[in-house]
Amino acid sequence: MKLWMKYLLGIILGVVSVFIVPFDSPMAKEILSFLTTIFTRIGRYALLPSMFFGVGIAVYKLRDGGLTTISAFWILITIIASSALLSALGLFSALLIKLPPLPISAEKTFDEVSISVKDMILRVFPDSPFSTLLQGTFLLPCFVFGAFIGGACTTNKTESKSAITVIESFSNVSYSMLSFFADMMTIGMIVLSCRWAIAFSAAWKVGAYLPLFSLIALDMILVSFVIYPIILRFVCHDPRPFKVLYASLCPFLTGFFTGDTNLTMLLSIRHGSESLGIRRRTNAVTFPIFSIFARGGSAMMTSICFVVILRTYSTLAISFSDAMWILLISFALSFALGGFATGGPFIALTIMCTMYGRGFASGYLLLRTASPIICAASCALDAITAMFGSYLIAVKTRTIDHRALKQFI
């Protein structure tokens, strides 16, 4: 059975269990919370060691093969282009399709939320480099440390030969461990999708969120089935771009029903390597970078939601200057969400409301009930972006061994 089928089966069991198990009792909620936490940690268990050793050997091979510059160029272009495209599409669709206003909440109190770029940089370069392996959900420090080690090994290949052998061996072992935990998460998806179903049920009962969810679904379909395949068709001259979409099924399902970018990356790395045939030197670098910085899905959701908030509170047309402000801020904030494995779009929306002011500082409260579903959709779209982007980069750097569909895991 294909891996995505196992995940889908777990998701179906989790959603169905909501209609069978009485989750209203305090004990049931406590048990669900505990199981959600433990399975989330299990899913992330092998991620840091696999990424650390994988990045080390990948950077070494990229530098040794003279592919560092071209890989960095395509990674940068893909991240910026995808984030700009998705934030613009979200804004345009929200302006074009006027959604009905949301019910105004009587709640006026709100918590100040901010993102400190200075603190993020300090976490990348802590007092001890080994502290980077203890950062938890923020993957950039571990990535940078592994990249420095891999790069240092290329300065003297004779002296570093033994070190590279050890790093590559640990990379293979860590990848095997990552594959094991990815298979185990088929059980965890029962619990995680159960939590998603409860959140969706709460948002469904509100009723007013349904047009917003419909617009988000429409944009996701447009991006996944039209825009990204067309880009691959013309940029990579690939006659079968939809095979990448097929390889994205499992990461998409994981992202949509967990909203966790780190858990999603676990599946993206496996499918990028074993389904699409992206070589480790590219696979181990692109997916962590995309997970940290390529949050175009978050930018799209933020721009859509902010337009809905503005139209809820005001009947005036959104000016061109306000539209450009929404576009630029949602685009910029998406690059600062790397420290948040979950809830990134809602955090960005909170910051946008605070920055905009003019009585809209607490506007994000209108979407508090719908935020788990919005964040999950964002994570799913980011997973597809990472898969299409990594495939494009692998084709452009010729670090891919194409696989037949029957070989996909």
Side-chain angles (χ1 to χ4, degrees):
M1 183 182 290
K2 299 292 186 181
L3 189 59
W4 70 267
M5 293 180 181
K6 297 178 183 178
Y7 271 66
L8 182 60
L9 179 60
I11 290 168
I12 292 173
L13 291 174
V15 173
V16 170
S17 67
V18 174
F19 300 96
I20 301 174
V21 181
F23 285 104
D24 294 332
S25 65
M27 180 177 292
K29 290 180 180 179
E30 185 176 349
I31 293 173
L32 181 62
S33 176
F34 170 75
L35 291 176
T36 299
T37 302
I38 193 66
F39 276 112
T40 300
R41 293 183 179 184
I42 287 173
R44 297 172 178 174
Y45 196 79
L47 192 57
L48 275 179
S50 178
M51 188 182 73
F52 175 72
F53 292 111
V55 168
I57 193 66
V59 170
Y60 173 82
K61 289 185 176 181
L62 286 174
R63 291 196 66 182
D64 188 48
L67 295 172
T68 307
T69 303
I70 188 172
S71 296
F73 169 79
W74 279 108
I75 289 172
L76 182 64
I77 290 296
T78 305
I79 289 176
I80 293 176
S82 62
S83 298
L85 172 66
L86 293 182
S87 56
L89 178 62
L91 176 62
F92 178 77
S93 62
L95 293 175
L96 181 65
I97 303 174
K98 189 172 183 179
L99 299 178
L102 300 173
I104 297 178
S105 172
E107 188 177 3
K108 296 297 181 182
T109 58
F110 60 94
D111 299 323
E112 288 283 345
V113 178
S114 61
I115 298 176
S116 175
V117 177
K118 182 181 73 173
D119 289 343
M120 292 176 67
I121 295 174
L122 291 177
R123 290 171 66 185
V124 174
F125 299 100
D127 293 329
S128 169
F130 295 102
S131 299
T132 60
L133 304 178
L134 306 175
Q135 291 286 345
T137 57
F138 189 32
L139 303 178
L140 184 59
C142 178
F143 180 91
V144 172
F145 186 31
F148 274 126
I149 289 179
C153 288
T154 61
T155 58
N156 192 329
K157 296 179 183 178
T158 303
E159 294 293 331
S160 63
K161 187 175 181 180
S162 298
I164 283 298
T165 302
V166 172
I167 293 173
E168 187 164 20
S169 178
F170 271 112
S171 175
N172 293 332
V173 171
S174 299
Y175 185 82
S176 298
M177 187 168 66
L178 179 144
S179 300
F180 169 75
F181 281 106
D183 288 331
M184 280 191 63
M185 280 304 295
T186 56
I187 301 173
M189 287 305 295
I190 299 174
V191 176
L192 297 174
S193 61
C194 180
R195 180 189 62 176
W196 178 92
I198 293 172
F200 182 78
S201 177
W204 180 274
K205 290 177 181 177
V206 175
Y209 295 131
L210 299 185
L212 173 61
F213 292 161
S214 299
L215 177 60
I216 290 174
L218 179 63
D219 282 344
M220 292 178 67
I221 292 172
L222 179 63
V223 171
S224 304
F225 288 89
V226 180
I227 296 177
Y228 281 171
I230 288 176
I231 291 174
L232 276 194
R233 180 67 181 86
F234 288 98
V235 176
C236 299
H237 307 290
D238 195 324
R240 295 187 301 167
F242 285 100
K243 66 182 179 182
V244 183
L245 191 61
Y246 178 59
S248 305
L249 271 176
C250 200
F252 173 85
L253 290 173
T254 305
F256 191 76
F257 287 94
T258 67
D260 191 311
T261 58
N262 289 356
L263 284 182
T264 304
M265 193 174 79
L266 182 81
L267 279 304
S268 297
I269 290 174
R270 277 205 67 184
H271 279 274
S273 175
E274 299 177 42
S275 294
L276 294 178
I278 301 174
R279 295 176 192 170
R280 192 75 60 86
R281 67 190 66 183
T282 296
N283 194 65
V285 171
T286 56
F287 284 111
I289 291 181
F290 274 98
S291 178
I292 297 167
F293 294 112
R295 299 290 190 89
S298 299
M300 171 184 279
M301 302 305 160
T302 305
S303 58
I304 292 174
C305 292
F306 194 78
V307 170
V308 173
I309 291 173
L310 286 183
R311 284 179 168 168
T312 297
Y313 282 109
S314 175
T315 57
L316 299 177
I318 297 176
S319 65
F320 178 78
S321 59
D322 279 345
M324 289 300 100
W325 184 88
I326 295 170
L327 177 64
L328 291 175
I329 298 301
S330 61
F331 172 77
L333 286 175
S334 68
F335 295 104
L337 299 177
F340 304 96
T342 59
F346 193 64
I347 292 170
L349 183 64
T350 304
I351 295 172
M352 281 188 70
C353 289
T354 304
M355 292 175 63
Y356 190 75
R358 309 180 200 178
F360 291 91
S362 61
Y364 68 93
L365 294 173
L366 300 177
L367 293 163
R368 176 173 285 180
T369 304
S371 63
I373 310 305
I374 295 170
C375 294
S378 166
C379 184
L381 191 54
D382 288 338
I384 291 178
T385 299
M387 193 66 73
F388 272 91
S390 296
Y391 180 82
L392 185 150
I393 293 163
V395 170
K396 287 299 180 182
T397 57
R398 298 180 181 179
T399 54
I400 187 170
D401 302 307
H402 294 280
R403 306 279 175 85
L405 285 178
K406 63 181 180 180
Q407 295 177 303
F408 283 30
I409 59 173

